[in-house]
């Protein structure tokens, strides 16, 4: 039973009970209808209160059901709402904590609504690529007015219940105990007739057509590749221009169309992917975590400073350790400047500014950080330097402190081996700029303790990052895959592309930036440094030499005013470079390659399928726990287009057999050895399955 039924005096109370957020899945919907029958058939019952158990009134339709027939099985949410709205006895929604999506639609089908202050009220469907499909687009404008309702529906942003007091959404805001208040309200209105229905309210908005047209234009310009926001406007427009039932039908048709769209499936995948990433099969959810009340960061450079800001933003004091006073002063000054910029933009109050700046202090002494609960090393990416730091940390840090490394490529097990407490060592790979990028790759060493992983996963939530656990391997999940992508980008230049052509093809697919613009932004010297190491460590791996030739010209990117593109002073816009293009053409000639015209399809397939194949190896080796973890790494750290759901989800939408067919085709070209499909992917394709 996903709802409980009780009678208290003359009032029946139906309590939805489907943890964690009382999602309106099939069993909950059925239980509400059954409870309603009991209440309507009981002559002693004068009014019915409906509420939610635990931490929500209701988080809406059960999104997990969306891919199954259960989502639309009777009683549908429409049916449930009809039962409530047409009941012969008054039905009162008693709202608290979270009232979202289908939960709010259900409440709007009740005759009355009471709520506690602080409840989050939203129709957030648009964030899942759909629109409210159970009357929300028709009823919310009737209680909040056209403008406010449209804003809420198009943005999906929650509004606190007290901010909506005084509107027709709430009949009363309850101070104190919600159920006592709701039952008192129910007794007060038990005999009042006729029963008010939201559907009967008339929307009065002078010149609504002009407003709707303005909204369409604005929303179209802002919604990028996502169809849902504009459809939200269409559905709300129907609330004003059509009869209630006709509007409901329009909403329903648009909902059914959107729920099947790849964009919505991708957003739902990201919603669950984000939450799944915080779970590890062998680390139980009740694993105790270590308290984190103080943090230390080794290194006050750009990375160390950015990392420190995350903790200050979350209210946790951070010490930054540097070797020299000058470097420390410089690092602290940059952090202060960053906060000042945010303050000047009006995104930080004076109080928050003072608090955050005050939480970050500096030191030159290892002894001063000994009591930190976690220390994150962000020093130069060289094993010798890491060795010195970790030996020192092992010496000074208190027992139980977590020793974390921000390494992006080095072996965390080797680093752990520099200490006598490898179980306390973990990788925390932040992405630059560390105070902005959402991704945190958490690298699990062979000996990393489970409570250390549980602690860092919980901490990543606290600092508003998407924490994804990776096993130890060269480059971990993200950089190991991007290496294959970058190799293909280089080969494409040798075979006939210009940097601009490659970037444009990828950007057309929805990437924030193509590989060459990205290189110019991040600094081409970083890749050069890594490749030089690889030429020694892994001589069998082939790379195009174009990137080395570029670096030999000192063209490291925006920071040197020239990279794959030319730049004008004070202007970050990339201009195609004749010099670079000539250099690429000359290089092809030196290699004896006949340059050919390469289609956008080939460019994007080669770049994305290179990611996918490496991702399949990563899954096969158990480096990533699940395909959605890889997708989360790419969505939150590498600018993979959200509406495509991440590389593994994208491969699933193309179909793994099609991916393998394309790879076989490219295997016949230059560097064909890069195109051997991972056995795991071949197996899944043969079974007709996908990664997710
Ligand atoms: C809809 O209503 C369509 C209708 O218009 C039309 C229908 C015909 N379903 O976020 P958290 C799970 S569409 C299933 O970490 P928080 C979530 O997966 C729906 N499961 O907690 C997680 O599970 P697990 C419109 C759901 O306290 C657990 O709850 N509604 C749902 O930070 C905790 O989640 C939305 O879009 C759901 N609807 O935040 C609301 N919601 O523990 C989406 C949550 O196994 N949800 N779960 O990983 C949210 O925004 C937040 O989850 C919420 C709680 C604010 C509710």
């Amino acid at each position: 039973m996903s709802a409980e039924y009780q009678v208290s005096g003359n009032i029946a109370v139906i309590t939805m009970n489907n943890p964690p957020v009382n999602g309106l899945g099939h069993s909950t919907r059925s239980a509400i209808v059954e409870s309603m029958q009991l209440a309507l058939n009981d002559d002693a019952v004068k009014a019915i209160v409906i509420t939610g158990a635990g931490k929500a009134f209701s988080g809406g339709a059960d999104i997990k059901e969306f891919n199954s027939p259960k989502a639309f099985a009777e009683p549908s949410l429409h049916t449930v709402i009809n039962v409530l709205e047409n009941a012969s006895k008054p039905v009162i929604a008693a709202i608290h904590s979270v009232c979202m999506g289908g939960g709010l639609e259900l409440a709007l089908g009740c005759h009355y609504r009471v709520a506690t202050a602080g409840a989050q009220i939203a129709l957030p469907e648009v964030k899942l690529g759909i629109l409210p499909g159970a009357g929300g687009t028709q009823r919310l404008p009737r209680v909040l007015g056209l403008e406010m309702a449209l804003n809420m529906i198009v943005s999906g942003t929650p509004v606190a219940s007290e901010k909506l007091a005084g509107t027709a959404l709430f009949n009363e805001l309850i101070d104190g105990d919600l159920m006592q208040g709701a039952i008192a309200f129910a007794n007060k209105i038990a005999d009042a007739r006729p029963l008010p229905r939201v559907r009967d309210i008339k929307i009065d908005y002078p010149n609504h057509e002009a407003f709707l047209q303005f909204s369409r234009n604005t929303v179209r310009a802002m919604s990028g590749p996502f169809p849902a926001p504009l459809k939200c406007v269409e559905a709300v427009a129907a609330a004003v221009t059509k009869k209630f039932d006709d509007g409901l039908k329009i909403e329903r048709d648009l909902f059914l169309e959107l729920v099947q769209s790849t964009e919505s499936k991708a957003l739902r995948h990201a919603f669950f992917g984000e939450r799944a990433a915080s779970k590890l099969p062998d680390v139980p959810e009740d694993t105790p975590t270590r308290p984190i009340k103080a943090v230390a960061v080794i290194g006050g450079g750009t990375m160390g400073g950015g990392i420190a800001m995350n903790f200050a933003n979350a209210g946790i004091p951070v010490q930054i350790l540097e070797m020299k006073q000058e470097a420390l002063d410089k690092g602290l000054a940059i952090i202060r400047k960053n906060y000042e910029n945010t303050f000047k933009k009006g995104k930080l109050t004076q109080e928050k500014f003072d608090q955050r700046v005050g939480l970050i202090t500096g030191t030159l002494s290892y002894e001063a950080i000994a009591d930190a609960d976690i220390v994150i090393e962000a020093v130069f990416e060289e094993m010798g330097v890491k060795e010195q730091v970790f030996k020192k940390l092992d010496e000074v840090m208190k027992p139980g402190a977590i020793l974390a490394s921000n390494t992006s490529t080095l072996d965390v097990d080797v680093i752990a081996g520099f200490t006598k407490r490898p179980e306390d060592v973990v990788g925390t790979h932040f992405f630059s700029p560390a105070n902005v990028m959402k991704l945190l790759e958490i690298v699990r060493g062979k000996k990393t303790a489970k409570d250390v992983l549980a602690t860092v996963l919980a901490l990543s939530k606290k600092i508003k990052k998407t924490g994804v656990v990776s096993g130890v391997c060269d480059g971990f999940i993200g950089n190991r895959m991007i290496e294959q992508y970058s190799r293909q980008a280089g080969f494409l230049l040798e075979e006939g592309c210009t940097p601009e052509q490659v970037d444009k093809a990828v950007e057309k697919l929805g990437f924030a930036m193509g590989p060459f613009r990205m290189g110019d932004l991040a600094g081409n010297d970083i890749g050069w440094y890594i490749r030089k190491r690889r030429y020694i460590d892994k001589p069998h791996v082939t790379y195009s030499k174009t990137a080395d030739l570029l670096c030999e010209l000192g063209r490291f990117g925006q920071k040197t005013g020239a990279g794959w593109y030319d730049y004008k002073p004070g202007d970050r816009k990339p201009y195609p470079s004749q010099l670079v293009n000539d250099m690429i053409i000359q290089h092809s000639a030196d290699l004896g390659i006949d340059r050919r015209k390469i289609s956008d399809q080939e460019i994007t397939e080669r770049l994305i399928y290179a990611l996918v194949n490496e991702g399949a190896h990563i899954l096969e080796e158990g480096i990533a726990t699940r395909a959605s973890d890889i997708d989360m790494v790419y969505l939150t750290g590498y600018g993979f287009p959200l509406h495509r759901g991440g590389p593994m989800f994208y491969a699933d939408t193309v179909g793994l057999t099609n991916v393998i067919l394309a790879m076989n085709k490219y295997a016949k070209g230059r560097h064909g050895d890069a195109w051997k499909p991972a056995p795991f992917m071949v197996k899944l394709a043969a079974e007709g399955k996908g990664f997710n």
Side-chain angles (χ1 to χ4, degrees):
M1 194 70 174
S2 307
E4 281 145 25
Y5 178 76
Q6 273 180 333
V7 180
S8 159
N10 288 330
I11 310 298
V13 177
I14 302 172
T15 309
M16 297 177 273
N17 192 356
N18 182 18
V21 297
N22 301 321
L24 292 159
H26 184 249
S27 63
T28 311
R29 301 194 304 265
S30 306
I32 297 171
V33 172
E34 283 162 28
S35 302
M36 280 298 292
Q37 296 315 330
L38 292 176
L40 294 173
N41 291 336
D42 183 346
D43 290 341
V45 169
K46 292 255 193 256
I48 304 149
V49 172
I50 179 160
T51 190
K55 64 175 194 174
F57 173 78
S58 169
D62 188 339
I63 317 165
K64 288 193 187 104
E65 272 188 1
F66 275 10
N67 297 330
S68 76
K70 271 189 178 177
F72 304 105
E74 287 294 341
S76 68
L77 192 50
H78 273 278
T79 306
V80 175
I81 292 170
N82 279 340
V83 169
L84 301 173
E85 195 167 56
N86 296 325
S88 52
K89 301 176 184 179
V91 185
I92 303 104
I95 295 168
H96 63 94
S97 317
V98 167
C99 177
M100 293 188 178
L104 179 55
E105 292 176 298
L106 180 139
L108 286 165
C110 296
H111 304 115
Y112 302 95
R113 287 155 299 280
V114 299
T116 50
Q120 296 181 67
I121 310 297
L123 287 178
E125 285 85 343
V126 72
K127 294 185 182 171
L128 299 172
I130 51 177
L131 51 69
T137 64
Q138 307 304 298
R139 288 190 181 90
L140 198 66
R142 287 177 156 80
V143 293
L144 292 186
L146 181 59
E147 263 183 70
M148 189 189 250
L150 187 68
N151 275 338
M152 280 181 73
I153 292 168
V154 170
S155 72
T157 309
V159 179
S161 48
E162 63 273 21
K163 295 217 167 109
L164 301 169
T167 67
L169 178 56
F170 296 125
N171 299 91
E172 223 171 72
L173 235 53
I174 307 271
D175 254 349
D177 186 81
L178 173 65
M179 286 319 288
Q180 267 180 23
I183 289 172
F185 179 88
N187 277 312
K188 194 167 70 187
I189 53 82
D191 297 319
R193 296 292 184 280
L195 292 170
R197 301 189 310 174
V198 171
R199 60 182 283 147
D200 299 330
I201 300 174
K202 199 171 156 348
I203 304 174
D204 218 2
Y205 194 91
N207 203 1
H208 59 257
E209 250 328 315
F211 172 71
L212 288 169
Q213 195 47 43
F214 168 77
S215 306
R216 279 184 200 105
N217 295 343
T218 321
V219 170
R220 189 179 292 114
M222 284 169 54
S223 46
F226 293 100
L230 205 53
K231 306 269 185 203
C232 286
V233 182
E234 287 321 315
V236 172
V240 201
T241 55
K242 308 273 180 208
K243 287 197 187 114
F244 183 81
D245 287 321
D246 295 341
L248 216 51
K249 179 165 181 334
I250 289 172
E251 176 198 84
R252 185 84 188 145
D253 291 346
L254 293 172
F255 174 83
L256 290 175
E257 188 185 319
L258 287 172
V259 90
Q260 294 304 330
S261 69
T262 308
E263 290 83 0
S264 171
K265 286 179 184 162
L267 287 171
R268 273 138 55 194
H269 174 65
F271 177 87
F272 287 117
E274 167 116 38
R275 283 150 185 88
S278 65
K279 299 180 175 76
L280 287 173
D282 64 332
V283 179
E285 293 211 28
D286 56 358
T287 304
T289 54
R290 301 185 189 182
I292 303 290
K293 299 212 172 73
V295 176
V297 176
I298 315 286
T302 315
M303 202 63 194
I307 294 173
M309 287 173 77
N310 287 304
F311 294 100
N313 297 350
I316 305 173
V318 205
Q319 281 177 292
I320 295 183
L321 184 143
E322 258 297 350
M323 293 297 99
K324 295 215 169 77
Q325 188 66 45
E326 201 190 341
L328 183 59
D329 291 344
K330 193 175 159 204
L332 291 174
I334 291 173
I335 292 174
R336 195 182 172 87
K337 186 103 205 130
N338 279 340
Y339 280 129
E340 270 167 9
N341 288 342
T342 319
F343 174 73
K344 277 186 202 143
K345 284 184 202 150
K347 292 184 183 164
L348 207 59
T349 60
Q350 181 71 49
E351 191 193 346
K352 283 251 159 71
F353 172 86
D354 293 341
Q355 188 197 35
R356 290 181 189 185
V357 170
L359 281 169
I360 303 181
T361 52
T363 178
L364 300 174
S365 134
Y366 269 94
E367 281 67 29
I369 62 163
D371 282 333
D373 301 304
I374 179 169
V375 51
I376 300 171
E377 159 280 305
V379 300
F380 195 60
E381 189 74 343
E382 209 170 75
M383 203 49 113
V385 185
K386 307 277 184 198
E387 178 171 4
Q388 278 177 19
V389 170
F390 274 82
K391 282 193 165 152
K392 187 70 189 170
L393 290 176
D394 195 22
E395 215 176 284
V396 300
M397 296 307 293
K398 70 175 182 187
I402 296 176
L403 315 184
S405 170
N406 181 50
T407 180
S408 55
T409 46
L410 298 176
D411 188 330
V412 171
D413 289 325
V414 174
I415 295 176
F418 298 139
T419 73
K420 288 187 267 325
R421 36 175 141 172
E423 65 284 359
D424 292 341
V425 177
V426 67
T428 47
H429 178 205
F430 287 82
F431 285 70
S432 188
N435 54 320
V436 177
M437 295 295 287
K438 271 213 75 167
L439 177 61
L440 176 63
E441 245 180 342
I442 300 168
V443 187
R444 176 180 197 168
K446 276 199 190 74
K447 296 192 178 155
T448 308
K450 291 185 179 176
D451 67 334
V452 168
L453 286 167
T455 305
V456 177
L457 277 165
L459 191 60
S460 66
K461 264 194 198 156
K462 186 144 194 201
I463 60 172
K464 300 201 166 68
K465 300 280 176 206
T466 302
V468 179
V469 176
S470 167
V472 174
C473 65
D474 193 352
F476 315 129
I477 297 173
N479 283 345
R480 174 169 160 183
M481 286 168 65
I482 207 76
E483 157 131 316
Q484 302 308 327
Y485 169 95
S486 305
R487 282 179 72 215
Q488 287 303 322
F491 296 148
L492 283 162
L493 295 185
E494 291 179 352
E495 291 168 35
C497 290
T498 61
E500 196 192 10
Q501 192 194 349
V502 175
D503 283 348
K504 283 215 164 127
V506 179
E507 285 158 19
K508 229 194 285 168
L509 202 75
F511 273 75
M513 234 181 255
F516 298 108
R517 278 181 61 202
M518 180 58 94
D520 277 0
L521 180 71
N524 297 309
D525 50 328
I526 300 172
W528 195 26
Y529 174 78
I530 295 171
R531 278 193 307 281
K532 280 187 202 159
R533 206 174 68 207
R534 293 244 158 85
Y535 293 146
I536 299 165
D537 297 347
K538 297 187 174 174
H540 57 282
V541 183
T542 48
Y543 295 92
S544 160
K545 290 271 183 242
T546 43
D548 298 352
L549 295 172
L550 184 84
C551 289
E552 282 164 19
L553 294 172
R555 299 182 68 109
F556 294 162
Q558 289 187 15
K559 62 183 171 189
T560 56
W564 293 106
Y565 295 92
D566 291 336
Y567 295 91
K568 295 179 183 164
D571 180 4
R572 283 165 176 268
K573 190 168 175 254
Y575 295 90
S577 165
Q578 192 58 49
L579 186 143
V580 171
N581 291 350
D582 289 346
M583 178 208 59
I584 293 168
I585 292 169
Q586 183 57 48
H587 183 57
S588 305
D590 293 346
L591 292 173
I593 297 171
D594 266 342
R595 290 176 68 79
R596 65 187 168 91
K597 197 170 172 344
I598 298 177
S599 69
D600 284 0
Q601 183 181 348
E602 176 171 345
I603 295 171
T604 52
E605 283 186 352
R606 283 176 58 176
L607 294 183
I608 310 291
Y609 296 170
L611 288 178
V612 171
N613 200 36
E614 197 61 28
H617 283 298
I618 281 173
L619 279 175
E620 197 160 30
E621 292 166 27
I623 297 291
T625 308
R626 47 184 92 73
S628 64
D629 284 5
I630 297 179
D631 288 333
M632 291 319 296
V633 166
Y634 267 78
L635 291 175
T636 57
Y638 290 83
F640 201 97
L642 179 58
H643 67 289
R644 309 236 180 236
M648 311 314 272
F649 180 87
Y650 181 71
D652 285 349
T653 56
V654 173
L656 297 193
T657 306
N658 293 329
V659 173
I660 292 170
L661 282 175
M663 288 176 67
N664 291 341
K665 189 173 71 192
Y666 299 128
K668 296 193 185 103
R670 291 180 71 245
H671 303 289
D673 52 324
W675 291 114
K676 200 167 176 325
F680 179 56
M681 177 159 59
V682 175
K683 179 173 168 282
L684 287 178
E687 290 167 358
K689 291 184 183 156
F691 289 116
N692 287 288

